[in-house]
Amino acid sequence: MTESVQSSASRVVVVTGAASGIGLATARRFAATGDTVVMLDVDAERLGREAAVLGALSFVVDVRNGESITATFTAIAAQVGSVDVLVNNAGIGVAADLLSSTWDDWQRTFDVNVHSMFHTCRAVLPGMLDRGAGIIVNTASVAGLVGIRDRAAYCTSKSAVIGFTRTLTADYAHRGIRANAVCPGTVATEWIGKILATAEDPVAKRLSMEQRQLDGQMGRPEEVAAAIWFLASPDGRFANGSAMVIDGGWTAM
Ligand SMILES: NC(=O)c1ccc[n+]([C@@H]2O[C@H](COP(=O)([O-])OP(=O)(O)OC[C@H]3O[C@@H](n4cnc5c(N)ncnc54)[C@H](O)[C@@H]3O)[C@@H](O)[C@H]2O)c1
């Protein structure tokens, strides 16, 4: 299957977790290059504000709720047509090792980070397969590649995202689907801001988070958005089933 170079100018792109951080930067990036962007998030106030700025369509939806997701994608199809690109980006993390994790922590993390993709991908894949073309980019993390202390559920869920991405490629690449994951290192988003705000020693915590990247700096949401955009672009045609690392060198050693 050949991806049309023109297709990047007029695609319908759905981004989950689009009201903040990496998802918002991704929505901005696709909007800036002429795509029809649909922003999904559970944070109604922020989503409405950011979508208005971009002139994007938006839906308040909790990605843990399969029925809401199905209804949302039905509404998307009715309003803007078939989805060409799906960016599964919504995610949460809980700071706990296995013994201090509650079952609720574990389930909530998997519901948002992994199970949501069961619902969103099943909503878009039939149409993509009918058309013989479709692109899915999943936000994983370096946490899917290496262990991180006190992130038991998070690391396990992000490994699952990488595995899930590979199964999409294994099952559907020959029918025109490209699925890839991105694995960012620490990125300066609101998420990280909240972790720092509640840290016992925010200065030391920031330093330790910065130093995980080999150049001592956190990534910027726009840098991850650029990687997602590339994977979804015709130039990314040869990438399929990959877990693209964009981590300032964290996992290089
Ligand atoms: N920031 C980092 O250092 C970093 C590193 C690697 C991977 N990631 C991944 O990037 C993704 C985005 O993270 P971020 O740092 O931009 O976080 P963020 O908290 O700034 O943004 C996450 C967005 O997801 C939304 N969201 C959360 N739960 C939701 C739900 N149930 N339904 C719908 N929307 C929901 C939030 O409202 C928020 O707008 C996540 O998957 C995260 O695991 C982040």
Side-chain angles (χ1 to χ4, degrees), residues 16-23 40-43 61-64 88-92 112-113 139-142 154 158 183-192 194 212:
T16 72
S20 171
I22 293 167
L40 272 46
D41 206 287
V42 75
D43 181 341
V61 61
D62 186 332
V63 295
R64 292 175 296 177
N88 283 310
N89 168 78
I92 59 165
V112 179
N113 296 4
T139 307
S141 168
V142 293
Y154 185 68
K158 292 299 186 180
C183 298
T186 313
V187 182
T189 64
E190 285 199 5
W191 173 327
I192 299 299
K194 281 178 203 157
R212 294 193 293 210

Side-chain angles (χ1 to χ4, degrees), residues 47-224:
L47 180 68
R49 184 159 30 96
E50 300 295 354
V53 172
L54 288 185
L57 192 60
S58 67
F59 291 88
V60 179
V61 61
D62 186 332
V63 295
R64 292 175 296 177
N65 186 326
E67 282 175 18
S68 303
I69 289 174
T70 305
T72 299
F73 278 88
T74 302
I76 291 170
Q79 293 189 45
V80 287
S82 328
V83 175
D84 300 298
V85 178
L86 168 65
V87 182
N88 283 310
N89 168 78
I92 59 165
V94 174
D97 66 7
L98 179 60
L99 293 179
S100 54
S101 297
T102 63
W103 180 239
D104 180 62
D105 290 339
W106 194 271
Q107 260 189 327
R108 205 158 31 92
T109 305
F110 268 77
D111 283 347
V112 179
N113 296 4
V114 186
H115 300 156
S116 60
M117 297 185 189
F118 173 90
H119 300 297
T120 55
C121 289
R122 283 168 61 99
V124 299
L125 270 169
M128 289 179 170
L129 291 170
D130 279 350
R131 295 190 300 284
I135 293 168
I136 296 171
V137 184
N138 299 324
T139 307
S141 168
V142 293
L145 301 170
V146 297
I148 302 174
R149 199 163 281 159
D150 289 328
R151 293 289 183 278
Y154 185 68
C155 287
T156 314
S157 74
K158 292 299 186 180
S159 292
V161 170
I162 294 170
F164 176 70
T165 305
R166 291 179 178 144
T167 70
L168 292 174
T169 294
D171 285 332
Y172 304 119
H174 66 292
R175 297 178 63 189
I177 307 300
R178 286 202 298 111
N180 289 283
V182 287
C183 298
T186 313
V187 182
T189 64
E190 285 199 5
W191 173 327
I192 299 299
K194 281 178 203 157
I195 294 174
L196 292 175
T198 54
E200 230 169 77
D201 182 346
V203 175
K205 183 75 182 170
R206 171 177 279 280
L207 199 61
S208 78
M209 288 180 129
E210 287 172 344
Q211 284 175 344
R212 294 193 293 210
Q213 286 61 232
L214 298 187
D215 66 355
Q217 295 177 48
M218 291 188 202
R220 296 194 299 270
E222 294 75 18
E223 291 167 332
V224 182

Side-chain angles (χ1 to χ4, degrees), residues 22-37:
I22 293 167
L24 177 56
T26 301
R28 286 176 175 153
R29 178 76 195 234
F30 280 99
T33 48
D35 288 312
T36 299
V37 175

